[in-house]
């Protein structure tokens, strides 16, 4: 079974699906319409819905005519709280909300998988599960809940796969990398509490602005002096607020930081050192340092064996061997697909969606993001092909 031709035949339908989602974007945890459209689509095509009760996420199950394993694929369905500046017929109709991360394309491609697999299910050995996942963009995310509510059970999922569109990769290409593929992303809120007073009499105060300067510098030494140089880690203080006027020493300073790593041991080290520096700062400067930690998504770890054995050979049947790129190092972005890969073997690949000739090169999370819709049928075909080949190989 080769899904290239069948996918090309539904190319226009997938563009329609994507444009409908694109013009009706909904932010994380608010995907009411999107969820309803997916449900109706599955029902109209006679595809079973597994009611897991995980918010606006929708799980479809296609059971094959012959027994076998179960292969799951995931599309995230949420959009971002930002305005769209593209002048296109399918421009966002929801003010201040935009599909700027391409999840509309993921959803359309997975609907394509549903159509492709449903057509040949009688000959299929085993089952396919379609995870339309809400709320990827906002912690705690929708993936964790899907896992907790049993979306990977009944039938038991044996392997899982997903794609993210990437404009840095030309349309027609797909990319995979073994090992870490996205970073653990945690957030700190720090509050340095000193003692305010007159700017002319600093000796009578505990100046949280000066302490913040030392504190930030100390934090920066964690990545440079504590983390092994070949490991990836990021400590970024993205926000700092304190004080009102040049001659008033503030009572406190607040900071927000994102902490990223590609290894769970490094992650633990970062937190240990950060919290030690909080304590040390108190001792050194006589202030109080409060911190709140929000743990984000874990490190996403791709299964190299799965990539070599299944993803690459199957996707090569669709895009050609010379259009498969090996990713050698991970970025520091976060992705809650990590939760699925903590549970089951599989991979999260990049689906080329860029096209310099058409001017489609903007990165995600920007108001001018758009993608080459020729990635839709390719994404659907690559997923369907990998699912099919996996089930054939393991029947
Ligand atoms: Zn995003
Ligand atoms: Zn995304």
């Amino acid at each position: 079974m080769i899904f290239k031709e069948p996918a090309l035949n539904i190319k226009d339908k997938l563009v329609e699906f994507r444009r409908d989602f694109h013009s009706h974007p909904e932010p994380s945890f608010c995907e009411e319409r999107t969820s309803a459209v997916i449900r109706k689509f599955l029902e109209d095509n006679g595809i079973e819905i597994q009611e897991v009760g995980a918010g606006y996420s929708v799980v479809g199950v296609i059971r094959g005519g012959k027994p076998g394993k179960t292969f799951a694929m995931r599309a995230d369905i949420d959009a971002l709280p930002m305005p769209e500046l593209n002048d296109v017929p399918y421009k966002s109709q929801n003010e201040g909300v935009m599909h700027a991360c391409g999840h509309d394309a993921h959803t359309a491609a997975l609907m394509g998988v549903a159509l492709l697999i449903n057509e040949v299910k009688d000959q299929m050995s085993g089952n396919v599960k379609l995870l339309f996942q809400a709320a990827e963009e906002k912690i705690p995310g929708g993936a964790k809940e899907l896992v907790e509510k049993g979306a990977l059970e009944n039938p038991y999922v044996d392997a899982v796969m997903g794609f993210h569109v990437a404009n840095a990769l030309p349309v027609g290409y797909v990319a995979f990398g073994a090992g870490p593929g996205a970073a653990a992303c945690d957030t700190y809120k720090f509050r340095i509490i000193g003692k305010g007073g007159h700017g002319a009499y600093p000796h009578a105060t505990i100046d949280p602005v000066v302490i913040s300067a030392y504190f930030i510098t100390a934090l920066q030494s964690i990545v440079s002096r504590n983390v092994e140089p070949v490991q990836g880690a990021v400590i970024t203080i993205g926000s700092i607020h304190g004080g009102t006027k040049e001659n008033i020493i503030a009572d406190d300073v607040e900071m927000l930081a994102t902490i990223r790593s590609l290894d769970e041991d490094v992650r633990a080290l970062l937190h240990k050192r950060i919290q030690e520096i909080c304590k040390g700062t108190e001792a050194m400067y006589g202030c109080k340092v409060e911190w709140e930690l929000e743990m984000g998504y874990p490190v996403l770890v791709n299964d190299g064996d799965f990539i070599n054995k299944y993803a690459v050979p199957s996707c090569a049947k669709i895009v050609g061997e010379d259009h498969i790129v090996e990713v050698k190092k991970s970025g520091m972005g976060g992705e809650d697909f990590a939760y699925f890969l903590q549970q089951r073997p599989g991979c999260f690949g990049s689906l080329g969606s860029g096209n310099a000739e058409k001017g489609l090169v903007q990165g995600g999370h920007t108001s001018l993001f758009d993608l080459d819709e020729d990635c839709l049928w390719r994404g659907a075909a690559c997923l369907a092909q990998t699912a099919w080949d996996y089930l054939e190989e393991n029947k």
Side-chain angles (χ1 to χ4, degrees), residues 76 80 100-103 136-137 164 334-335 364-365:
D76 38 13
L80 286 159
C101 202
H103 298 184
E136 189 282 325
E137 297 281 3
H164 203 297
E335 176 43 79
H365 292 219

Side-chain angles (χ1 to χ4, degrees), residues 158-386:
D158 296 280
V160 62
M161 184 171 170
F163 272 122
H164 203 297
V165 292
N167 275 1
L169 191 66
V171 69
Y173 286 81
V174 294
F176 299 102
C185 304
D186 305 321
T187 304
Y188 273 97
K189 184 175 176 183
F190 299 112
R191 188 162 168 240
I192 296 190
I193 304 164
K195 187 175 159 223
H198 199 297
Y201 306 98
H203 58 287
T205 72
I206 299 171
D207 185 348
V209 171
V210 171
I211 297 167
S212 297
Y214 286 108
F215 178 70
I216 292 167
T217 308
L219 289 183
Q220 292 308 313
S221 76
I222 298 174
V223 173
S224 72
R225 301 293 89 171
N226 299 135
V227 176
E228 195 183 346
V230 293
Q231 299 272 14
V234 170
I235 294 181
T236 292
I237 313 280
S239 161
I240 176 163
H241 289 278
T244 52
K245 197 173 179 303
E246 82 287 350
N247 61 356
I248 301 172
I249 289 175
D251 285 317
D252 62 358
V253 169
E254 285 192 344
M255 284 172 254
L256 293 172
T258 180
I259 313 298
R260 298 179 180 229
S261 48
L262 294 173
D263 177 281
E264 291 295 336
D265 290 340
V266 172
R267 188 186 198 187
L269 171 71
L270 294 174
H271 290 308
K272 180 174 162 282
R273 287 297 296 137
I274 287 168
Q275 290 163 25
E276 283 169 358
I277 287 172
C278 288
K279 271 213 174 72
T281 300
E282 289 183 334
M284 239 169 119
Y285 299 104
C287 60
K288 193 163 170 29
V289 181
E290 289 178 352
W291 52 267
E292 272 170 46
L293 167 61
E294 184 177 55
M295 294 295 273
Y297 305 150
V299 182
L300 181 151
V301 185
N302 288 301
D303 183 328
D305 291 340
F306 177 91
I307 290 173
N308 293 333
K309 196 165 174 205
Y310 301 108
V312 169
S314 296
C315 293
K317 294 178 187 173
I318 307 300
V319 297
E321 222 171 298
D322 55 343
H323 280 61
I324 297 186
V325 177
E326 187 189 349
V327 181
K328 296 218 170 84
K329 58 181 187 204
S330 172
M332 296 306 281
E335 176 43 79
D336 74 347
F337 193 82
Y339 288 110
F340 299 120
L341 289 177
Q342 278 187 333
Q343 302 292 324
R344 301 292 193 272
C347 71
F348 191 64
S350 293
L351 177 65
S353 56
N355 191 326
E357 277 164 33
K358 295 184 191 167
L360 300 167
V361 290
Q362 280 278 340
H365 292 219
T366 63
S367 287
L368 288 171
F369 177 79
D370 201 358
L371 48 80
D372 191 325
E373 290 167 325
D374 276 340
C375 73
L376 301 175
W377 71 266
R378 287 184 172 92
C382 283
L383 288 171
Q385 192 69 49
T386 311

